[in-house]
């Protein structure tokens, strides 16, 4: 094997790609990870200190086994890397009774025997006084939910992968790639050409550059997140306040307890996403999105409705049904990809990295991947 030859090349070393590098390297494979920006950059989908991990999953009960594995792996990876990646705070789904979100999360709990508690408006107000919710809102409390320290998670995966011999090259995007006659691939960057037996594509918002067939299916959007001055930080500290998903008439918002930043973090509205070209370097959230976040705070979390301390934009790649795509590139079985996670993928990254390592080494993944196949859009 030449110096430019690898067992597996991973294109995109964000949440999914860094996890894939680690899982492949610990299996003894020669791995090259290519990242178009600096490690832990703020141009994609993984920055901003924290990402929610929910076990009760209203997006579909079929996600639950994967997120349970991810929960286990986040804990293990943190222990191996000497970092605390998983913070168990409990999670709340909050929505009007009958709207569907709480009921779907409850179904996930029942399907998989998850510990949970249903809360009416009175119980929510007593337990979580930071919220001022409209009449008719109900909640589902799931004690195993929490958040993952997102940038630290990428650093942990990369550091562990390097400790097992993986080579990580930053500021070196994959320009193009091609299958070879012997069943491998060649990958070209501005610095050279590399060969490998397998290719893993985890390039997030840039996925359609590497897998052009996705251009008809995937759109790229900008989402806003912000950290805001709080009047009563004691209401929002970790150990008192949970992560949450809040559905109100203004949209679907998500938030966190205070962590490493003096401001209270809120993101959304989840379905107020604005189309964007990831090649546009401007990640500033739009005034419209920021105004919607601030209105949500003023109405429903008034003690966190102070001035913004930090505002950021985040890139999502979105499918028509908001479900993931994890599959092989059509006609090229030696190239696998995972992306298009529609704004709810980070929590799964540790497990998806393992799944990608399985798919790259002819190991049968432990999960049913049919719901995430590309051919579901063929009709």
């Amino acid at each position: 094997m030449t110096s430019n030859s690898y067992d597996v090349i991973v294109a995109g070393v964000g949440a999914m790609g860094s996890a894939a590098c680690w899982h492949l390297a610990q299996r003894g494979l020669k791995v090259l990870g290519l990242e178009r920006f600096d490690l832990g950059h703020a141009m994609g989908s993984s920055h901003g200190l924290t990402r929610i991990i929910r076990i009760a999953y209203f997006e579909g009960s079929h996600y639950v086994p994967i997120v349970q594995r991810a929960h286990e792996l986040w804990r293990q990876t943190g222990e191996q890397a000497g970092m605390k990646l998983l913070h168990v705070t409990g999670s709340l789904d909050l929505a009007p009774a009958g709207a569907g979100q709480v009921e779907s999360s409850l179904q996930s709990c029942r399907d998989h025997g998850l510990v949970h508690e249903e809360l009416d408006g009175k119980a929510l107000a007593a337990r979580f006084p930071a919220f001022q919710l409209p009449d008719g809102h109900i909640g589902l409390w799931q004690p195993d939910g929490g958040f993952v320290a997102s940038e630290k998670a990428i650093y942990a995966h990369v550091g562990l992968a390097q400790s097992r011999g993986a080579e990580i090259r930053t500021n070196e995007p994959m320009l193009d790639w091609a299958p070879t006659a012997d069943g491998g691939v060649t990958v070209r960057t501005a610095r050279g050409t590399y060969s490998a037996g397998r290719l893993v594509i985890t390039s997030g918002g840039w996925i359609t550059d590497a897998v052009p067939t996705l251009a008809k299916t995937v759109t790229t959007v900008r989402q806003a997140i912000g950290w805001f001055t709080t009047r009563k930080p004691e209401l929002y500290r970790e150990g008192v306040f949970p992560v949450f998903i809040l559905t109100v008439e203004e949209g679907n918002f998500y938030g966190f307890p205070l962590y490493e930043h003096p401001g209270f973090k809120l993101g959304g509205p989840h379905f107020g996403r604005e189309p964007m070209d990831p090649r546009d370097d401007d990640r500033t959230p739009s005034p419209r999105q920021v105004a919607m976040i601030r209105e949500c705070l003023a109405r429903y979390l008034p003690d966190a409705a102070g001035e913004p301390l930090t505002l950021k934009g985040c890139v999502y790649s979105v499918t028509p049904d908001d479900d993931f795509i994890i599959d092989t590139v059509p006609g090229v079985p030696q190239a696998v990809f995972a992306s298009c996670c529609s704004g709810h993928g980070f929590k799964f990254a540790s497990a998806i990295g393992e799944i990608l390592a399985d798919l790259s080494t002819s190991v049968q993944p432990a999960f049913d991947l049919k719901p995430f196949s590309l051919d579901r859009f063929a009709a």
Side-chain angles (χ1 to χ4, degrees):
M1 187 177 290
T2 66
S3 59
N4 275 11
S5 179
Y6 299 85
D7 294 314
V8 187
I9 295 173
V10 178
V13 188
M16 309 293 176
S18 64
C21 287
W22 163 227
H23 284 286
L24 289 161
Q26 69 175 325
R27 297 181 189 193
L29 299 174
K30 185 179 180 184
V31 178
L32 171 65
L34 297 171
E35 170 53 49
R36 71 176 54 240
F37 299 112
D38 290 326
L39 195 68
H41 63 85
M43 300 299 287
S45 309
S46 302
H47 57 286
L49 295 177
T50 52
R51 290 293 183 277
I52 287 176
I53 183 164
R54 297 174 284 126
I55 313 299
Y57 220 64
F58 65 74
E59 289 88 343
S61 189
H62 58 286
Y63 280 100
V64 173
I66 307 177
V67 80
Q68 287 177 313
R69 176 58 175 161
H71 196 276
E72 177 184 12
L73 285 170
W74 287 127
R75 191 184 303 278
Q76 290 179 6
T77 302
E79 290 171 356
Q80 290 169 310
M83 300 181 186
K84 186 175 182 180
L85 303 181
L86 177 66
H87 295 248
V88 178
T89 64
S91 62
L92 270 178
D93 291 308
L94 302 165
Q101 287 88 344
V102 171
E103 291 82 359
S104 293
S105 291
L106 180 59
Q107 189 61 52
S108 287
C109 290
R110 290 170 174 164
D111 289 346
H112 296 278
L114 304 179
V115 177
H116 67 281
E117 187 177 353
E118 299 174 68
L119 301 174
D120 61 16
K122 184 176 180 180
L124 287 167
R127 192 178 301 186
F128 304 107
F131 291 104
Q132 290 190 7
L133 298 174
D135 291 342
H137 261 62
I138 58 173
L140 185 131
W141 166 254
Q142 214 278 313
D144 293 330
F147 65 86
V148 177
S150 54
E151 286 116 333
K152 287 182 180 179
I154 293 172
Y155 300 150
H157 276 137
V158 168
L160 289 169
Q162 288 179 318
S163 75
R164 296 297 290 268
E167 186 177 344
I168 307 297
R169 296 179 178 234
T170 61
N171 296 292
E172 187 174 354
M174 179 174 70
L175 299 179
D176 53 48
W177 68 276
T180 57
D182 62 355
V185 295
T186 58
V187 169
R188 188 174 65 90
T189 75
R191 298 187 203 171
T193 300
Y194 311 98
S195 64
R198 297 288 186 271
L199 174 64
V200 174
I201 303 168
T202 46
S203 48
W206 295 263
I207 191 72
T208 57
D209 291 345
V211 189
T213 189
L214 293 177
K216 298 178 182 178
T217 305
V218 176
T219 56
T220 306
V221 300
R222 187 195 329 258
Q223 177 73 61
I225 50 177
W227 289 256
F228 298 84
T229 301
T230 63
R231 289 187 302 190
K232 296 181 179 178
E234 66 275 10
L235 294 178
Y236 302 97
R237 64 180 175 83
E238 189 176 347
V240 171
F241 193 77
V243 299
F244 67 89
I245 304 289
L246 171 64
T247 301
V248 285
E249 62 182 357
E250 294 86 354
N252 186 286
F253 298 85
Y254 59 96
F256 303 78
L258 296 174
Y259 172 73
E260 291 197 353
H261 189 297
F264 174 74
K265 181 182 176 182
L266 189 75
H270 187 69
F271 297 106
R273 305 177 288 209
E274 299 176 349
M276 67 166 297
D277 184 340
R279 298 166 193 81
D280 179 359
D281 290 341
D282 184 7
R283 295 292 186 268
T284 306
S286 73
R288 169 183 164 273
Q289 288 178 324
V290 174
M292 294 177 79
I293 289 175
R294 297 196 71 177
E295 180 163 350
C296 175
L297 289 170
R299 292 188 68 177
Y300 309 114
L301 293 146
D303 289 310
E307 290 299 308
L309 297 172
T310 305
L311 297 170
K312 291 184 180 291
C314 185
V315 177
Y316 288 1
S317 52
V318 180
T319 63
D321 58 10
D322 273 348
D323 283 324
F324 306 165
I325 308 176
I326 305 172
D327 212 333
T328 57
V329 174
V332 191
Q334 65 268 40
V336 302
F337 69 94
S339 195
C340 320
C341 293
S342 302
H344 64 110
F346 190 101
K347 64 184 72 64
F348 296 91
S350 55
I352 290 177
E354 185 177 54
I355 289 168
L356 291 168
D358 288 342
L359 294 172
S360 301
T361 54
S362 301
V363 174
Q364 180 64 38
F367 309 101
D368 178 12
L369 300 182
K370 290 187 184 70
F372 311 118
S373 67
L374 179 59
D375 64 12
R376 72 182 190 268
F377 301 112

